[in-house]
Amino acid sequence: MAAANLLSEEEFSCPVCCDIFRDPVLLSCSHSVCRTCLQQFWETKGSQECPVCRRRSSKSDPPCNRALKNLCEAFLESRSQRASAEFEVLCSLHNEKLKLFCLEDQQPVCVVCNLSKAHKNHNCCPIDEAVCDFKNKLKTSLERLQQNLKALEEVKQTCDETAAHIKCQAQHTERQIKEEFEKLHQFLRDEESARIAALKEEEEQKSHMMRRKIEEMNGEIESLSDQIRNLQKEMEHTPKEPEKVSALLINVAKHLSSLKFRVWENMQKILQYTPVTLDPNTAHPHLHLSDDLTTAECRPQTSLLPDNPERFEVYPCVLGSEGFNSGTHCWDVDVGGSEYWALGVIRESESRKGSSVWDSVWSLHYSKSSNEYWISCPGQADHVLTPTEKLQRVRVQLDWDRGKVTFTDLITSSHLHTITHTFTDTVFPIIYSYSSPVRLLPAKISVMIENQTETLILTQS
């Protein structure tokens, strides 16, 4: 230790890295170099030369310079102790080391301060214990901050995933809108072509008729001219004036009369209106929706969806895109061959994440495994139904103002059950499907003209 203190830091420095020797080795030329530095130098140089004198080393694995290594370790330890002594703080009043910590005044004190009036009868502990306690408190605070940071990072990841999903949603929806409008555009182009073709056909027919009539008139004119020349004296025998032909012009009214309305009337063949459509932002990740948002099918998840608050987490459910807080509303559902399904309405405020979803649902259920139908209402025991035939199509009718939810078998037009409840907030249509697809049925569209007023009438299938 004493020998290490007599030497300067330069004498303990490696000639390659200029830092204190780490595992020094002794070359045959008596120079010492860090083992790692020597290996790197040899790899770069391509030969086993001394980095200092360039003399070739006779050994590929030089021995460790243990004496120098011990001196370097002693030098580093001595330097560390000197640094600690330099930073040691003394009491400003008694010039003693601050070895105690006053727990009441929350400050370091010396042994003389501990016996003085200022700190008499105060609880004190060794400063090392106080430092340890403060480190533990800081560690606890650090762990709490790290947990908060982790939670924020998870929320940020969710936000990033949601932002990416929003972009995908927008692109997919834009593509669907363009496809739907392209269908309408194609329909209008076909209508335009058909009407122009009809106009051209009528024009050709009328033009051909006029050409033939003109030819006939030219023949009659020529014949009359001959008769006039031959029978100038017999004017009383002049033939009657030629009869004019009607309906020779283009029937413009037929082609233009209420054109837009007639096209719209024909457009009913390609249009569909569904009173309730599904909201993909609420669908359980395993519940796949059709592009027109009318069909829900439970199948394995194929893409990552954001865990937004509206999305169902436990049950394969999906909500209608519009909630109701007044009036009467009706929608028809084809449950087909689904093995487990449920239809009804749910309170808007109900959480979608837990298993308590059904505490706020008024619904009709079916299970193939038990071959049972039953009505479920919040706070009430389930009511078992016994339809005469297996349900294929079910109508759900909500009368919010009167507090009624009615279920009807569309095939037999028979009433199944009516739930009565006083609604106080907005409710949404809800569909639960565990196997085969469940589909919302479109309403029939018809146009009637009554008292010179066109009326669009929507009727359930």
Side-chain angles (χ1 to χ4, degrees):
M1 180 72 72
N5 291 336
L6 297 176
L7 299 175
S8 65
E9 183 173 343
E10 294 182 358
E11 295 178 83
F12 294 105
S13 299
C14 171
V16 177
C17 64
C18 299
D19 200 356
I20 303 299
F21 280 107
R22 296 186 299 276
D23 190 17
V25 295
L26 182 63
L27 299 175
S28 56
C29 60
S30 300
H31 290 117
S32 294
V33 187
C34 291
R35 186 181 299 277
T36 303
C37 296
L38 181 64
Q39 295 298 331
Q40 292 177 349
F41 179 80
W42 283 357
E43 290 176 2
T44 303
K45 191 70 175 176
S47 61
Q48 298 180 357
E49 297 179 358
C50 172
V52 180
C53 65
R54 304 304 184 192
R55 182 177 175 181
R56 185 173 181 82
S57 174
S58 59
K59 297 180 179 180
S60 59
D61 187 15
C64 175
N65 191 339
R66 294 191 179 278
L68 180 59
K69 183 178 181 181
N70 293 336
L71 286 173
C72 290
E73 292 176 352
F75 177 79
L76 290 173
E77 182 179 356
S78 175
R79 188 172 66 177
S80 176
Q81 291 177 353
R82 289 198 305 272
S84 299
E86 290 175 0
F87 286 101
E88 193 173 61
V89 181
L90 302 178
C91 177
S92 60
L93 296 176
H94 309 105
N95 201 30
E96 294 286 340
K97 293 182 179 180
L98 299 174
K99 295 184 176 181
L100 301 174
F101 187 80
C102 180
L103 299 176
E104 298 186 21
D105 294 330
Q106 292 290 299
Q107 66 180 30
V109 295
C110 68
V111 291
V112 179
C113 291
N114 186 35
L115 299 175
S116 66
K117 292 182 179 180
H119 299 279
K120 189 175 183 180
N121 299 325
H122 286 187
N123 291 326
C124 295
C125 69
I127 197 166
D128 292 340
E129 292 183 7
V131 170
C132 184
D133 291 340
F134 278 113
K135 284 184 176 180
N136 290 334
K137 291 180 181 179
L138 288 174
K139 182 179 180 181
T140 302
S141 300
L142 177 62
E143 290 175 351
R144 188 160 49 247
L145 291 174
Q146 289 174 337
Q147 290 174 357
N148 292 339
L149 176 61
K150 183 178 179 181
L152 288 174
E153 289 175 346
E154 291 176 353
V155 172
K156 180 180 180 298
Q157 182 179 359
T158 301
C159 292
D160 292 340
E161 293 173 354
T162 303
H165 182 67
I166 289 172
K167 185 174 181 180
C168 292
Q169 272 189 314
Q171 293 174 346
H172 180 67
T173 305
E174 179 182 354
R175 184 166 59 251
Q176 287 182 285
I177 291 173
K178 289 182 177 179
E179 290 175 357
E180 291 300 319
F181 272 92
E182 177 57 29
K183 293 177 183 177
L184 293 176
H185 293 160
Q186 186 59 47
F187 174 82
L188 293 175
R189 286 194 291 267
D190 293 342
E191 282 286 317
E192 178 186 11
S193 300
R195 292 179 180 276
I196 291 178
L199 174 63
K200 294 294 185 182
E201 183 180 359
E202 184 177 356
E203 177 191 12
E204 181 63 27
Q205 291 175 352
K206 297 293 177 68
S207 298
H208 179 71
M209 185 187 305
M210 287 305 301
R211 287 195 297 270
R212 188 175 59 188
K213 190 65 178 177
I214 291 172
E215 291 176 359
E216 293 177 357
M217 294 296 293
N218 287 335
E220 291 185 9
I221 290 173
E222 185 177 352
S223 175
L224 286 175
S225 298
D226 292 341
Q227 290 182 30
I228 290 171
R229 286 194 296 269
N230 297 327
L231 304 173
Q232 289 182 349
K233 295 180 180 180
E234 299 180 8
M235 296 301 295
E236 67 277 7
H237 297 295
T238 304
K240 296 180 180 180
E241 183 177 350
E243 181 181 354
K244 295 182 179 180
V245 180
S246 61
L248 292 177
L249 300 180
I250 295 294
N251 191 348
V252 177
K254 181 183 74 172
H255 296 287
L256 298 181
S257 178
S258 302
L259 175 60
K260 295 178 181 178
F261 175 79
R262 300 305 175 193
V263 173
W264 178 50
E265 194 175 29
N266 290 337
M267 198 178 292
Q268 294 177 60
K269 301 173 184 177
I270 65 169
L271 294 181
Q272 279 193 345
Y273 171 76
T274 307
V276 170
T277 55
L278 304 176
D279 183 358
N281 293 335
T282 66
H284 184 277
H286 289 179
L287 207 58
H288 178 77
L289 304 186
S290 60
D291 289 341
D292 61 359
L293 305 179
T294 61
T295 303
E297 181 180 3
C298 188
R299 61 193 191 193
Q301 184 178 356
T302 56
S303 60
L304 183 63
L305 298 175
D307 186 21
N308 49 304
E310 302 88 355
R311 192 177 305 283
F312 284 96
E313 180 183 53
V314 178
Y315 298 104
C317 297
V318 63
L319 298 188
S321 59
E322 181 181 359
F324 308 119
N325 55 17
S326 64
T328 301
H329 309 274
C330 181
W331 56 97
D332 298 337
V333 186
D334 184 349
V335 294
S338 181
E339 298 179 358
Y340 197 162
W341 53 263
L343 310 173
V345 295
I346 183 174
R347 198 161 44 207
E348 178 183 24
S349 58
E350 181 62 33
S351 173
R352 321 284 165 75
K353 299 303 180 185
S355 58
S356 62
V357 171
W358 300 105
D359 294 344
S360 296
V361 179
W362 295 264
S363 52
L364 166 63
H365 294 249
Y366 170 70
S367 172
K368 182 180 180 180
S369 59
S370 61
N371 194 28
E372 284 185 341
Y373 297 90
W374 68 93
I375 297 293
S376 176
C377 298
Q380 300 180 21
D382 293 342
H383 175 70
V384 177
L385 299 180
T386 55
T388 56
E389 297 181 9
K390 182 179 179 181
L391 299 180
Q392 298 290 330
R393 295 188 173 188
V394 178
R395 170 168 294 172
V396 184
Q397 185 167 350
L398 167 68
D399 190 337
W400 194 95
D401 299 321
R402 295 184 179 181
K404 293 183 179 181
V405 182
T406 302
F407 300 97
T408 306
D409 182 355
L410 280 181
I411 303 298
T412 61
S413 299
S414 58
H415 171 263
L416 297 173
H417 190 81
T418 296
I419 299 173
T420 56
H421 176 79
T422 302
F423 297 108
T424 57
D425 53 3
T426 302
V427 296
F428 279 79
I430 182 173
I431 290 180
Y432 172 97
S433 176
Y434 188 72
S435 55
S436 300
V438 172
R439 182 171 63 94
L440 287 160
L441 299 173
K444 291 182 179 180
I445 302 176
S446 60
V447 179
M448 295 181 62
I449 302 176
E450 185 176 342
N451 296 329
Q452 304 303 317
T453 302
E454 296 122 8
T455 304
L456 177 63
I457 299 177
L458 303 177
T459 58
Q460 296 300 108
S461 301

